Amino acid sequence: QVHLVESGGGSVQPGGSLRLSCEASGSTFNYYAIYWFRQPPGKEREEVSCLSNVDSSTFYADSVRGRFSISRDNAKNTVDLQMNSLKPEDTAVYYCATDTLFGSSCLQGRPISELDYWGQGTQVTVSS
C-alpha cells in the first residue's frame, strides 16, 4: 500500500512562486516514478511533470516547461515541484500519483487510469 500526501499549495499573485511537496510512504521513490498532475476548475486532469529515481527519466508539459522544476529532496523524502512565474491558468488542484505495476520510468501521455495511487490534492490559486 502506497500513501501519497501533497503539501505546499496556496494563493499567490501572477508572477509568484510556490513549492509543492509529495511525501510518500516507505521506499516508494526508490522503485516508482512520481507524477504531478493538475485539474483546473471545470476541466479534466492533466499531467504536469514526472521524475523517476530509478532511471532518472523526467518530463514537463509544454505549458510549464521552463517555469516548473521537479526534484527529489532526500532529507525530507519528498518529490517537490518548484513553480515559478505562475500564471492564472496554473490555478488548479495539484495531485501527485504513481503506478506501482509498471511505473519505474516516466512515460508522458499515459492514461490516468494506469496510475493506481493518488494523493488527496493541494489547491493552487494564482490571482491578482
Side-chain angles (χ1 to χ4, degrees):
Q1 188 80 10
V2 173
H3 188 54
L4 302 173
V5 179
E6 303 94 340
S7 62
S11 295
V12 65
Q13 292 186 341
S17 297
L18 283 173
R19 188 175 185 89
L20 306 183
S21 293
C22 175
E23 184 174 3
S25 54
S27 301
T28 301
F29 297 147
N30 293 336
Y31 301 106
Y32 311 117
I34 297 296
Y35 292 75
W36 280 99
F37 282 77
R38 67 186 182 186
Q39 187 161 16
K43 296 185 179 180
E44 294 185 351
R45 200 168 296 189
E46 60 187 23
E47 62 185 8
V48 174
S49 185
C50 179
L51 175 66
S52 168
N53 287 299
V54 179
D55 61 6
S56 300
S57 56
T58 187
F59 69 76
Y60 296 93
D62 289 343
S63 58
V64 307
R65 187 176 295 111
R67 300 187 297 122
F68 290 12
S69 178
I70 192 169
S71 62
R72 178 173 176 178
D73 187 323
N74 290 323
K76 298 189 300 181
N77 196 32
T78 60
V79 171
D80 297 343
L81 187 68
Q82 177 66 41
M83 307 186 297
N84 299 326
S85 302
L86 283 163
K87 304 175 181 180
E89 51 264 43
D90 294 317
T91 295
V93 178
Y94 284 72
Y95 301 88
C96 61
T98 193
D99 165 20
T100 60
L101 296 179
F102 305 104
S104 61
S105 296
C106 289
L107 299 176
Q108 193 165 12
R110 66 185 309 174
I112 289 177
S113 58
E114 292 184 0
L115 292 117
D116 52 352
Y117 288 97
W118 293 80
Q120 82 289 350
T122 186
Q123 176 70 47
V124 171
T125 302
V126 184
S127 174
S128 55

